Amino acid sequence: MRVATLLVLAVAASAAASDADWWQTALIYQIYPRSFKDSDGDGIGDLNGITEKLPYLQQLGVDAIWLSPIYLSPMYDFGYDITNYTKIAPEYGTMEDFDNLMAKAKALGIRVVLDYVPNHTGNESEWFIKSAQREAGYENYYIWADGTPDPNDASTTLPPNNWVSNFRKSAWEYSTTRGQYYLHQFAIGQPDLNYREAKVQEEMKNVLRFWLDKGVSGFRVDAINMMYEVDPNDYGGVYPDEPLSGDEDAAADDYNYLSHIYTRDLNETYNVVYDWRDLLDEYYMTDGEYKIMMTEAYTELTLMIRYYGTDTRNGSIPFNFSFLENIKNNSNARDMKLVIDKWMTYMPNGKTANWVNGNHDQSRVASRQGSDRVDAMNLLALLLPGVALTYQGEEIGMLDGEVTWEQTVDPQACNTDDPINYWKKSRDPNRTPYQWDSSAHAGFSTTTGDTWLPVASNYRTLNLAAQMAAEKSHYKFYKDVLAVRKLPAVRAGDLETTVISESVLVVSRLLPGYPGVVGIVNLSDEEYHLDLTSIKLLPVQMRVVASGVDCPHKKDEWMRKSNITVTAHCALLLQTVRKCC
Ligand SMILES: *[C@@H]1O[C@H](CO)[C@@H](O)[C@H](O)[C@H]1NC(C)=O
Ligand SMILES: *[C@@H]1O[C@H](CO)[C@@H](O)[C@H](O)[C@H]1NC(C)=O
Ligand SMILES: *[C@@H]1O[C@H](CO)[C@@H](O)[C@H](O)[C@H]1NC(C)=O
Ligand SMILES: *[C@@H]1O[C@H](CO)[C@@H](O)[C@H](O)[C@H]1NC(C)=O
Ligand SMILES: *[C@@H]1O[C@H](CO)[C@@H](O)[C@H](O)[C@H]1NC(C)=O
Ligand SMILES: *[C@@H]1O[C@H](CO)[C@@H](O)[C@H](O)[C@H]1NC(C)=O
Ligand SMILES: *[C@@H]1O[C@H](CO)[C@@H](O)[C@H](O)[C@H]1NC(C)=O
Ligand SMILES: CC(=O)N[C@H]1CO[C@H](CO)[C@@H](O)[C@@H]1O
Ligand SMILES: [Ca+2]
Ligand SMILES: [Ca+2]
C-alpha cells in the first residue's frame, strides 16, 4: 500500500512556554458568556459564573480563555452590537466582577483574551447618536450616503445601492434624524464604522489600550475583512453597485446573491491590522508577555495569509476555518490530510498555524460530523502544531440543541421570517447552555423560569459530571490529549501526516532528544490492523496515553508499531518511551 506523508520541520527552537512564546502553542477555550454559567439565577450566563468555573478550566488544562463580547449592548446580536467598548453589559456583571475574574484567572495561570469588534458599533452607541445628529467631530464616524430617487414614489427614496447585509436584506437603513442612509454589513442595529476617518482609528486604538491596561493577553478580532468599503471619491462620489455572484440558490435579498468586491477584503484593512500589532507590541516590550491577536475572516487563502504580516511588518494570526468548512462528515483520511497539509504549506515561514473546530456561529462537531468523530476531531486539533481553539462544550461532545421558531432569537434566523426553514440560518442551536450535570437546567442556572435559550434535551445523559464519573468519555480523552500537548514534542516537534488507508490517518510529532507522540484516527466503521513499520523514526514500543470512547485500549497499555489494532471510530494517542530519533 502506498503511504503518503508530508513532513513539516519544526521551526520553534524552545520547548518551554514562556511569557514570550506562550501563544504559539496555546489551547484557547472560547467562552460564550451568555451560555456558560449563570451565577445569579436570571437564566443568563455571566462573569461571576465564568469566575466560578475557572478551576474546572484549569484542571482541564486550558492556557487561555477567549470571551465572546461582554460589553454594554442592547443584545440585538448578543453582544456583537456594542454600545460602549469599555463598559460591561449589566446582565453579565460589573467592571468589579471583570477585575475579579482577571485576578482569579491570573492566580490560576489562565490568560484572558477578549473579543474586539471593530467593524461596527451598536446603534445605541454615543458615537452613532452623535453622528446621526451631525454633531461636530462625529459627522464621518460611520458610512453615510444619500438615497436614490424612488421612481414610483417621489415622497420617498430607495437605498443608495444594491448592497446586501450578511444577515439578509438591504445593507442600508434610513436615519430620519440625519436624513441619510447608514451602512450595516450585519444587523440593522450594527452600523459600520468609517475607517477612512482618522479619529475612528484613534478611538479604536484607545479601546485596545483600555483592556491591555487591565491585563488582558490579547484579542480575537471579529469580521476583520468587512472593515473597509471602497472610497466613494474613487467612484464619482457614490458607492457603486456590486456585481451579481451568479449563485442560483441565492434570492436577491440574500448575501450570497452579490459578489462583494467593494465591501470585503480591501487592501486598506491590512495596514490597520499591522498598526494594531505595533500597539500590542508596545505592551509586550513593557511587560514581557506577548499579546496575541487572532483575526476572523471567512475568505480565500491568499488574502487570509496577508494578515500574518509582510517582510517589514508583523500582523495577526488569521483564523483558519478549514476544519470547519472543508472537513465533512464523509471526509476520509486523505481529505483530512489535504486540509492539514495545504495550510502548513501556504503558511509563511516562521508563522504560527491554528486549528478551529467550532465556534458560536457553527453547528457543533457532533452534529456536523456525527458523535463518533468527536474524539478524532479533538485529537487532530490538539495535536497539530500551533494554536488550537475549542468552543465551550466541544470537550464533552455537546450536540446542537433544539430551538423552536418561537424560541428563536438569533437575528440571522429571525430575518428569514420563515417559521419552517429558519433553522437553516439559525445559530441558536449551537449556543444552548453548557451541560454541567443532570440537575435542572443542566446545572447552568438556578432560575425557576426559562433560560435565555432552552437547554438541549439530552442533558440528563450528556453532561460534564457524567463524563467525569465515567471510565471513558469525550471529556477524559480530551483532558488526556491536552496533557500530552504540554510535551516538548507537541510544542516544538516536526509534524508528519500519514494516510495509511482510506480511513486511517496517523499524525506524528517528533523532536530529537525527547519522547515522540503519535495520534491515530480510524474514521471507518471497520476494524483495521495497522503496521507503522514504514514510519522509520518511530521506536518499536509505544504506550497508550489517551484512548477515545470507541477504543478498547486502556491507558498505559503497550503497543508494538508492527501490530496496532484500531477499532471503528477509535482515536488513539501513543507516546514513545525512547527518545526520538
Ligand atoms: C464609553 O463610556 C465612557 C465612560 O465610561 C465614556 O468616556 C466614553 O465616551 C463612552 N464611549 C462611547 C463610545 O460611548
Ligand atoms: C436600533 O436598531 C433596532 C433594530 O435592530 C431598532 O429596533 C432600534 O429602534 C434602533 N435603536 C436606535 C437607538 O436607533
Ligand atoms: C491590493 O494589494 C495587492 C498586493 O499588494 C495588489 O496586488 C493589488 O493590486 C491591490 N489591489 C488594489 C485594488 O489596489
Ligand atoms: C516581528 O515579530 C518577531 C517575533 O516577535 C520579531 O522578532 C520581529 O522583530 C518583529 N518584526 C517587526 C518588524 O516588528
Ligand atoms: C484554511 O486552510 C485551508 C487549507 O488547509 C484553505 O483551503 C482554506 O481556504 C483556509 N480557510 C480559511 C477560512 O482560513
Ligand atoms: C452528513 O452530512 C450530510 C450533509 O450535511 C447529511 O445529509 C447527513 O445526514 C450527515 N450524516 C451524518 C451521519 O451525520
Ligand atoms: C477501523 O475500525 C474498523 C471497524 O471496527 C475496523 O474494521 C478497522 O480494522 C479499523 N482500522 C484500523 C486501522 O484498525
Ligand atoms: C465567529 C464570530 O465571531 N462571528 C461573528 C461575526 O460577526 C458577526 C457580527 O458582529 C457576529 O454576528 C458573529 O457572531
Ligand atoms: Ca445571570
Ligand atoms: Ca465595514
Side-chain angles (χ1 to χ4, degrees):
M1 161 186 354
R2 203 175 150 265
V3 173
T5 89
L6 170 106
L7 188 62
V8 178
L9 297 184
V11 282
S14 151
S18 74
D19 275 352
D21 62 12
W22 68 272
W23 56 285
Q24 292 173 335
T25 55
L27 180 281
I28 303 182
Y29 186 93
Q30 181 193 351
I31 293 181
Y32 195 70
R34 225 177 162 74
S35 295
F36 195 55
K37 172 69 187 171
D38 172 20
S39 72
D40 60 0
D42 67 352
I44 298 173
D46 45 51
L47 294 178
N48 287 339
I50 297 170
T51 306
E52 188 184 317
K53 293 297 185 184
L54 285 173
Y56 162 64
L57 297 173
Q58 189 214 25
Q59 65 83 41
L60 184 61
V62 314
D63 299 299
I65 51 176
W66 145 33
L67 306 181
S68 277
I70 53 173
Y71 319 108
L72 183 64
S73 160
M75 302 285 168
Y76 297 121
D77 192 23
F78 300 104
Y80 284 93
D81 47 336
I82 297 167
T83 302
N84 190 312
Y85 291 101
T86 55
K87 285 186 173 161
I88 302 287
E91 61 212 290
Y92 294 162
T94 62
M95 193 57 84
E96 210 181 332
D97 296 335
F98 178 78
D99 293 338
N100 184 36
L101 186 160
M102 285 296 297
K104 290 270 159 54
K106 205 167 196 72
L108 292 170
I110 297 175
R111 298 175 209 255
V112 177
V113 172
L114 293 183
D115 216 310
Y116 183 56
V117 186
N119 180 64
H120 45 266
T121 65
N123 61 355
E124 293 181 8
S125 161
E126 213 174 284
W127 299 346
F128 184 67
I129 293 165
K130 288 178 174 172
S131 193
Q133 292 167 346
R134 296 182 198 258
E135 192 173 314
Y138 292 90
E139 299 98 321
N140 299 321
Y141 265 46
Y142 294 83
I143 310 283
W144 294 101
D146 292 327
T148 52
D150 183 343
N152 300 320
D153 183 355
S155 70
T156 173
T157 58
L158 296 173
N161 64 25
N162 73 346
W163 293 358
V164 173
S165 143
N166 276 266
F167 292 167
R168 215 179 173 96
K169 303 182 184 166
S170 175
W172 298 96
E173 183 73 7
Y174 189 70
S175 159
T176 44
T177 312
R178 175 140 166 162
Q180 274 190 310
Y181 288 81
Y182 67 85
L183 178 74
H184 60 90
Q185 290 224 46
F186 293 91
I188 290 172
Q190 292 170 310
D192 275 50
L193 283 164
N194 176 16
Y195 277 83
R196 298 189 189 279
E197 174 76 8
K199 270 182 286 187
V200 166
Q201 299 239 10
E202 200 44 45
E203 297 261 26
M204 292 307 288
K205 282 187 181 167
N206 286 337
V207 171
L208 295 175
R209 292 189 183 105
F210 178 90
W211 293 108
L212 288 164
D213 288 338
K214 286 206 166 278
V216 306
S217 302
F219 301 90
R220 171 272 184 192
V221 186
D222 184 60
I224 187 74
N225 60 327
M226 313 280 175
M227 188 146 75
Y228 274 92
E229 293 73 30
V230 285
D231 186 346
N233 293 322
D234 297 338
Y235 295 87
V238 300
Y239 290 105
D241 276 351
E242 288 189 325
L244 306 190
S245 66
D247 181 344
E248 289 178 358
D249 294 336
D253 63 355
D254 196 295
Y255 188 66
N256 295 336
Y257 186 66
L258 300 176
S259 174
H260 302 287
I261 57 173
Y262 299 136
T263 55
R264 284 175 62 148
D265 302 317
L266 265 58
N267 274 349
E268 289 89 333
T269 310
Y270 300 98
N271 280 330
V272 177
V273 170
Y274 307 156
D275 288 348
W276 290 340
R277 177 75 263 158
D278 291 346
L279 188 157
L280 264 52
D281 282 348
E282 287 168 25
Y283 281 79
Y284 172 32
M285 295 310 154
T286 308
D287 68 10
E289 187 208 43
Y290 188 86
K291 312 300 177 200
I292 198 169
M293 175 167 50
M294 299 170 292
T295 43
E296 178 211 39
Y298 288 86
T299 187
E300 61 180 85
L301 193 53
T302 50
L303 296 173
M304 174 88 41
I305 292 299
R306 290 174 65 193
Y307 288 106
Y308 272 123
T310 65
D311 292 344
T312 53
R313 305 206 61 190
N314 282 326
S316 63
I317 303 176
F319 272 147
N320 179 286
F321 297 113
S322 56
F323 258 45
L324 282 173
E325 293 179 338
N326 304 348
I327 298 185
K328 310 284 183 209
N329 62 9
N330 59 355
S331 293
N332 61 27
R334 200 172 307 277
D335 300 332
M336 289 197 181
K337 178 182 160 56
L338 268 178
V339 167
I340 296 166
D341 293 355
K342 192 170 162 199
W343 184 257
M344 295 307 293
T345 310
Y346 272 87
M347 198 176 63
N349 239 334
K351 298 295 183 186
T352 300
N354 70 93
W355 310 97
V356 182
N357 252 344
N359 63 36
H360 61 282
D361 283 350
Q362 308 283 342
S363 178
R364 289 189 172 276
V365 172
S367 296
R368 217 165 53 231
Q369 301 212 22
S371 289
D372 51 20
R373 283 205 176 181
V374 166
D375 290 339
M377 290 304 287
N378 279 336
L379 175 63
L380 290 176
L382 297 188
L383 200 53
L384 293 170
V387 181
L389 287 111
T390 294
Y391 177 50
Q392 67 182 43
E394 292 295 352
E395 77 277 23
I396 58 170
M398 273 176 65
L399 284 146
D400 292 344
E402 317 80 25
V403 184
T404 65
W405 170 246
E406 286 70 30
Q407 293 165 327
T408 292
V409 289
D410 177 12
Q412 185 167 281
C414 296
N415 276 1
T416 63
D417 298 323
D418 183 346
I420 309 292
N421 289 309
Y422 71 97
W423 59 271
K424 290 183 186 162
K425 291 276 181 183
S426 183
R427 298 169 296 176
D428 290 334
N430 40 292
R431 297 174 175 181
T432 57
Y434 191 98
Q435 292 160 215
W436 294 103
D437 57 40
S438 60
S439 69
H441 303 301
F444 161 69
S445 175
T446 55
T447 182
T448 50
D450 291 335
T451 52
W452 82 282
L453 277 177
V455 171
S457 58
N458 55 24
Y459 78 90
R460 282 188 193 81
T461 47
L462 201 177
N463 63 64
L464 176 67
Q467 294 200 12
M468 282 181 155
E471 198 198 331
K472 271 181 168 255
S473 63
H474 296 310
Y475 158 78
K476 287 202 163 158
F477 180 71
Y478 183 96
K479 188 177 169 184
D480 288 341
V481 175
L482 199 42
V484 172
R485 190 176 159 84
K486 310 274 187 277
L487 295 180
V490 183
R491 291 204 177 278
D494 295 345
L495 164 71
E496 195 171 346
T497 53
T498 307
V499 172
I500 301 289
S501 74
E502 193 70 6
S503 58
V504 178
L505 181 66
V506 174
V507 174
S508 66
R509 304 294 313 277
L510 301 174
L511 184 68
Y514 294 90
V517 167
V518 186
I520 302 170
V521 299
N522 180 2
L523 303 167
S524 91
D525 297 332
E526 286 155 37
E527 179 167 305
Y528 283 94
H529 293 286
L530 277 190
D531 185 347
L532 298 184
T533 318
S534 62
I535 305 181
K536 295 267 179 323
L537 295 176
L538 284 184
V540 172
Q541 290 270 36
M542 291 180 281
R543 190 168 56 85
V544 175
V545 283
S547 168
V549 296
D550 292 320
C551 313
H553 316 279
K554 291 210 164 57
K555 263 170 76 174
D556 293 330
E557 204 173 292
W558 288 91
M559 298 230 159
R560 293 181 72 79
K561 79 166 170 178
S562 56
N563 184 18
I564 297 174
T565 309
V566 208
T567 48
H569 311 302
C570 169
L572 201 58
L573 187 58
L574 308 176
Q575 192 182 322
T576 73
V577 174
R578 232 181 56 210
K579 286 179 189 150
C580 166
C581 342

